[in-house]
Amino acid sequence: MALQLQLQPTVRNGVFQYPSAIKPFGNRKKVSFQAQATPTRTQRIMEGIAVSGEVGGAGGAYSYSALKRLDQLLSKICSASAVVEEPQKVVSSVPGSVKDSEHVGNLEEVFDVIVCGGTLGIFIATALSSKGLRVGVVERNVLKGREQEWNISRKELLELVEVGVLTEDDIEEATAASFNPNRCGFEGKGDIWVQGILNLGVSPVKLVEIVKDRFDSLGGVTFEGYSVSNISVYQDAAVLQLKEGKTLFSRLIIDAMGNFSPIVKQIRCGRKPDGMCLVVGTCCRGFKENSTSDVIFSSATAKEVGQSLVQYFWEAFPAGSGPIDRTTYMFTYVDPQPGSPQLEELLEDYWDLMPKYQGVSFDDLEILRIIFGIFPTYRDSPLPAAFDRILQFGDASGIQSPVSFGGFGSLTRHLGRLTTGIYEALEGNFLDSKSLSMLNPYMPNLSSSWLFQRAMSAKKQSNVPPDFINELLFANFISMQKLGDPVLRPFLQDVIQFGPLVKTLGLITLTRPQIIPSIFKQVGIPVLLEWFGHFIMLGYYTFLSTFLDPTIRPLIESFPAKMRYEWKRGLEAWQYGAGLDYKLSPSEAHETAKRSDPSKETFSTNSLP
């Protein structure tokens, strides 16, 4: 029987080395060796970084084991099966009243709203509490924000002030970094510089702490360390069973458990996503040039990774932890099909590409954190309510743009609308699935942005030039720049509007007609036809919101309660579905006016100041 030995490697200059083979003695049988698999560069780096304070939510985990778990989930999603996995039945509808059920003896305390998922759910919970509602939050971990900053514009943060969740002083306290100008650039084709777009780094730790304190002061109740087991929906209440044995009762349950919510899995029947954004990155210390940010930057054409063709994009900005700390993200859009790259494969590329992109060497940097995430997207978003008394919110609802990763920006934009709508639904007892679905309506501007994700997803069979994606994006951005801030700023904050879109497409057609055939090859005729339908609806919603809304709105208060609720939600669908909720702030309008007057110009969008 052969003797099996397992040799332990030594490490020299970062390279794993094994002892030389030992020759067998005399006529003895040969000794066989089973060497351990050599760790990847990603594993060696990640296991050499101290990890602490991992939290729930996207981007809240930093360890190598968390990376491998996420890659396993990604492999399941990208399998050949049309169903990722058979979803567990979490929600069931039960006829009759909860008062006639086995739970009748436990009805001492019934919440108006219970929010499941606290990282982003705490914002809607606090907004509803400020209206006098009895609200509870269920969070399976400690309710705490992640270490890595959220990148956002001040205009978006002020939405939280308007709904009473924050004060302006709170914004100043939670803002860890501020930086200008901000770049959009594409591989040697030119850079476009803008001011005040996604130029704040907000500390989620501090922001969530501030909002949680306000929630507590308003009488909110937090259940930390509890997980959702199942929900029974009765005619007059929803019963939430927690895995830890606790039972909660509520008139309405808000699902804020994110992209991988078990309730969403049940609603979508485990269907595979239509698209996926994969993100990797680091926060490192040691950058000498660290005053500007990149909103989006592409430093190369599409390249092969494993069995796939991917187009890498970058985002970079100063971190709030120190003046020489900088965060860099590398992300790509893929179809979730067999052969799609793993996050670890992207990180292996990241170690080579990031130093070239930022003009630094990893030898001169201290890696503070390694960041990674996957963000599935569906064409049929937002997600309508599938059950009475249950509403999806945030990433679980699919309200975020398919070209963004993370939904904090879309949360701030829609928080006021949703808070008012939920309050009125509770006040009128309009908690059936049809009424709740009006809070997550069809929005043509969101659906039309699907074309951009398709255009930014590299495909082997598309038969387009290698630099097509960069050429198309540069043509798009340079056209918007020429059309001015009222066109460029909304787009950079994931808001599509009909007028600016028509102007941009028209200018691209006139100035760069040669790329039109490649667009057809890249995205395909079926996708273009589907997009054209959303484009028509975008124009229709714009017309309705601009011309019909002013006629109807003064009459709404005279309508019966249910009719009033439905018309208000309809007017909101027109406005938000057309992107007309976005308006330049006074400071943005002032800057636009200055740049339009050459005698007052203080900043050029073509070059650094």
Side-chain angles (χ1 to χ4, degrees):
M1 183 175 181
L3 176 65
Q4 305 288 322
L5 295 179
Q6 199 171 47
L7 301 179
Q8 296 299 319
T10 58
V11 182
R12 292 182 181 176
N13 298 323
V15 178
F16 282 72
Q17 298 179 345
Y18 291 86
S20 58
I22 302 174
K23 296 181 180 179
F25 294 96
N27 294 324
R28 294 181 185 176
K29 293 181 180 179
K30 290 185 178 180
V31 181
S32 62
F33 299 94
Q34 291 182 340
Q36 293 177 335
T38 304
T40 63
R41 180 167 40 168
T42 297
Q43 181 178 353
R44 296 198 305 269
I45 292 173
M46 294 187 76
E47 291 181 345
I49 300 174
V51 175
S52 63
E54 292 192 327
V55 297
Y62 312 113
S63 66
Y64 183 70
S65 59
L67 173 70
K68 297 305 291 182
R69 288 195 300 271
L70 199 54
D71 264 342
Q72 289 174 359
L73 175 60
L74 180 58
S75 294
K76 288 181 182 179
I77 294 174
C78 295
S79 68
S81 173
V83 176
V84 177
E85 60 182 18
E86 194 65 30
Q88 175 189 359
K89 187 176 181 181
V90 179
V91 181
S92 57
S93 298
V94 183
S97 169
V98 71
K99 296 177 183 177
D100 300 325
S101 72
E102 60 183 334
H103 303 291
V104 65
N106 301 318
L107 289 175
E108 295 88 1
E109 184 178 57
V110 178
F111 288 89
D112 292 309
V113 180
I114 290 177
V115 180
C116 299
T119 306
L120 292 183
I122 191 65
F123 293 91
I124 187 73
T126 304
L128 292 171
S129 291
S130 69
K131 288 184 171 290
L133 297 175
R134 176 72 167 154
V135 183
V137 172
V138 174
E139 168 57 44
R140 67 178 180 177
N141 302 297
V142 175
L143 182 46
K144 179 182 177 183
R146 70 182 196 184
E147 292 293 331
Q148 186 58 43
E149 288 99 349
W150 286 329
N151 214 16
I152 198 167
S153 303
R154 182 175 178 82
K155 182 180 187 298
E156 295 171 303
L157 281 178
L158 289 174
E159 303 277 359
L160 300 178
V161 176
E162 289 184 17
V163 297
V165 172
L166 295 176
T167 66
E168 292 202 39
D169 288 341
D170 292 333
I171 290 179
E172 298 304 320
E173 184 180 352
T175 299
S178 178
F179 34 87
N180 267 312
N182 325 108
R183 177 175 67 162
C184 307
F186 305 95
E187 205 220 350
K189 300 182 182 300
D191 297 331
I192 297 168
W193 293 89
V194 295
Q195 290 270 12
I197 297 292
L198 302 177
N199 67 311
L200 298 181
V202 174
S203 166
V205 172
K206 177 56 68 175
L207 189 63
V208 171
E209 179 188 345
I210 291 170
V211 177
K212 184 176 181 293
D213 288 345
R214 177 157 175 75
F215 178 67
D216 293 341
S217 72
L218 291 168
V221 182
T222 304
F223 301 91
E224 293 179 298
Y226 287 92
S227 303
V228 174
S229 176
N230 60 77
I231 301 171
S232 300
V233 180
Y234 292 84
Q235 290 178 357
D236 51 354
V239 179
L240 175 61
Q241 298 278 1
L242 303 178
K243 292 180 180 178
E244 294 72 18
K246 197 173 188 65
T247 302
L248 303 176
F249 302 86
S250 182
R251 296 177 62 203
L252 175 69
I253 290 177
I254 295 179
D255 173 13
M257 292 184 284
N259 290 305
F260 301 105
S261 158
I263 302 175
V264 171
K265 289 181 181 178
Q266 180 179 343
I267 295 172
R268 295 196 183 276
C269 301
R271 178 167 65 86
K272 179 184 295 189
D274 298 305
M276 188 79 70
C277 180
L278 310 180
V279 184
V280 299
T282 60
C283 179
C284 295
R285 178 165 293 161
F287 287 88
K288 296 177 181 177
E289 300 295 330
N290 196 33
S291 60
T292 67
S293 75
D294 285 346
V295 177
I296 182 172
F297 188 83
S298 175
S299 59
T301 58
K303 62 167 291 186
E304 287 195 27
V305 178
Q307 304 174 41
S308 301
L309 191 69
V310 299
Q311 174 69 59
Y312 288 141
F313 301 99
W314 297 91
E315 180 178 343
F317 50 92
S321 50
I324 58 174
D325 298 355
R326 189 169 181 83
T327 298
T328 53
Y329 289 121
M330 185 180 81
F331 59 99
T332 187
Y333 303 100
V334 299
D335 290 329
Q337 300 297 332
S340 293
Q342 297 273 284
L343 292 173
E344 188 164 3
E345 290 180 291
L346 265 61
L347 277 166
E348 290 296 299
D349 274 350
Y350 177 88
W351 308 126
D352 291 327
L353 298 175
M354 195 281 270
K356 299 175 185 176
Y357 158 56
Q358 289 288 284
V360 294
S361 169
F362 269 115
D363 293 338
D364 300 325
L365 300 176
E366 176 190 354
I367 302 176
L368 305 178
R369 285 183 297 278
I370 297 176
I371 311 153
F372 47 87
I374 62 177
F375 299 89
T377 52
Y378 295 84
R379 286 200 301 270
D380 55 341
S381 291
L383 185 64
F387 307 100
D388 296 346
R389 298 186 180 275
I390 298 178
L391 176 70
Q392 272 62 49
F393 171 79
D395 290 0
S397 71
I399 201 72
Q400 70 275 18
S401 165
V403 296
S404 66
F405 48 91
F408 184 57
S410 66
L411 177 149
T412 61
R413 179 186 162 204
H414 291 275
L415 188 60
R417 173 183 71 84
L418 289 169
T419 300
T420 300
I422 291 169
Y423 180 80
E424 292 179 359
L426 286 162
E427 188 178 43
N429 202 31
F430 309 134
L431 301 174
D432 58 284
S433 60
K434 181 180 178 182
S435 297
L436 291 177
S437 290
M438 299 187 76
L439 293 165
N440 282 335
Y442 164 68
M443 294 188 178
N445 64 338
L446 189 65
S447 298
S448 65
S449 64
W450 257 96
L451 182 70
F452 294 100
Q453 190 191 80
R454 282 291 184 242
M456 295 167 73
S457 303
K459 299 178 181 66
K460 280 188 175 182
Q461 298 82 15
S462 60
N463 195 29
V464 298
D467 67 341
F468 163 73
I469 295 177
N470 284 330
E471 180 66 28
L472 175 63
L473 290 175
F474 181 69
N476 189 57
F477 276 83
I478 201 70
S479 297
M480 288 189 292
Q481 181 208 17
K482 291 178 180 177
L483 294 167
D485 277 3
V487 174
L488 183 59
R489 282 183 177 274
F491 182 83
L492 287 174
Q493 294 175 80
D494 290 327
V495 179
I496 307 298
Q497 297 175 328
F498 183 71
L501 182 58
V502 169
K503 293 176 182 177
T504 302
L505 294 177
L507 190 56
I508 291 174
T509 302
L510 289 174
T511 58
R512 299 173 187 261
Q514 68 276 11
I515 68 173
I516 303 301
S518 293
I519 295 176
F520 282 81
K521 293 178 184 178
Q522 172 74 2
V523 303
I525 299 297
V527 172
L528 277 172
L529 290 175
E530 180 183 352
W531 173 82
F532 187 71
H534 297 308
F535 174 73
I536 295 297
M537 291 303 295
L538 179 62
Y540 181 55
Y541 273 43
T542 301
F543 172 82
L544 292 174
S545 187
T546 303
F547 298 105
L548 195 56
D549 181 312
T551 303
I552 297 174
R553 192 171 292 275
L555 307 175
I556 285 182
E557 293 304 321
S558 64
F559 294 170
K562 183 67 178 292
M563 186 178 177
R564 182 167 63 247
Y565 170 84
E566 292 175 344
W567 269 103
K568 282 185 176 181
R569 305 292 83 77
L571 296 185
E572 289 168 354
W574 295 348
Q575 181 185 22
Y576 282 77
L580 297 180
D581 59 292
Y582 183 96
K583 295 178 176 61
L584 291 180
S585 67
S587 61
E588 290 173 331
H590 179 65
E591 285 298 318
T592 300
K594 283 200 299 183
R595 289 200 293 272
S596 65
D597 184 350
S599 65
K600 298 179 180 179
E601 186 169 352
T602 59
F603 180 77
S604 169
T605 56
N606 287 309
S607 60
L608 277 168

